[in-house]
Each structure stands twice: as structure tokens, then as C-alpha cells.
Amino acid sequence: MKTMISNPRFAPVISFILCVFPFMILEWATRSDLPRSDASPILWVVLWFLSTGFIAALMLIMRNARGVQAGNRILANPFSMLLSAIFLAVFAWQWAALVIDQMPCFLGASGC
């Protein structure tokens, strides 16, 4: 039986709750009447996509680590583990760069 932490089907829900919803609340709480002060819906979709990829890659790494505890060798599938780690790093880097770039939009500045 799979737990919620290692089941990739829950990655979109977890990523929305942890990585997108707090910024939506921040943007809503600090919105202003200035022109173009709202964050774009495309921004929310991209943030959600990047965080979903990050969490799904993290879940795959956790699943492989659990297999190691069950007696499997960690080098049984090194390519999959390396690919997951690369995706994890790329998604985290892109998500952080996007959040830093769009922070004025979340704080209600105009021109977003």
C-alpha cells in the first residue's frame, strides 16, 4: 500500500498547497488599484507546474531510497536516480528564480 508521501498522484495537490497557494494569498492580500498590479494566471500555472515536477521527482527519489532500505542496492538503477536528481535541481532552480523575479507582483507593485 502506497502512502501519500511516496505516491506521485498526490504531487499536484501537494505542490499547489505548499508552493502556489501561499503566494496566491500574499498577492490577494497586498493587491492594489494600480494598473497591472495583478499576477497573471499564466504565472500561477507555471509555478504549479514547476513545483509539481519538483515534488514528483522528490517522491521518486524517496521511493528508490525506500527500496534500498528493503535490501535493494542503490546502484540497481543509477540512471533513474541521476535523472531524478537532475530534474529536482532544475525544477527547484527555475521555481526559485521565478518567485524571486515575480516577488514585486506578489507584493502589489504595478507593472507586472
Side-chain angles (χ1 to χ4, degrees):
M1 181 177 197
K2 295 180 183 177
T3 63
M4 186 171 146
I5 293 189
S6 64
N7 190 347
R9 288 188 293 166
F10 291 106
V13 175
I14 294 170
S15 68
F16 178 77
I17 292 171
L18 294 179
C19 301
V20 178
F21 191 62
F23 292 106
M24 289 178 122
I25 292 173
L26 179 64
E27 196 267 335
W28 178 77
T30 60
R31 68 179 177 218
S32 65
D33 294 332
L34 297 172
R36 294 178 20 160
S37 64
D38 296 337
S40 168
I42 295 172
L43 172 64
W44 303 121
V45 171
V46 172
L47 278 175
W48 175 74
F49 175 72
L50 290 172
S51 60
T52 299
F54 176 83
I55 291 175
L58 185 64
M59 287 178 172
L60 291 174
I61 289 173
M62 289 173 55
R63 184 181 293 172
N64 286 342
R66 189 177 308 157
V68 170
Q69 291 175 352
N72 296 337
R73 291 184 22 210
I74 194 161
L75 295 176
N77 198 355
F79 181 73
S80 173
M81 190 71 120
L82 178 65
L83 192 60
S84 295
I86 290 171
F87 279 135
L88 188 72
V90 168
F91 283 125
W93 175 45
Q94 290 297 316
W95 185 86
L98 186 61
V99 167
I100 290 169
D101 181 58
Q102 295 298 315
M103 190 55 75
C105 296
F106 301 142
L107 297 176
S110 65
C112 296

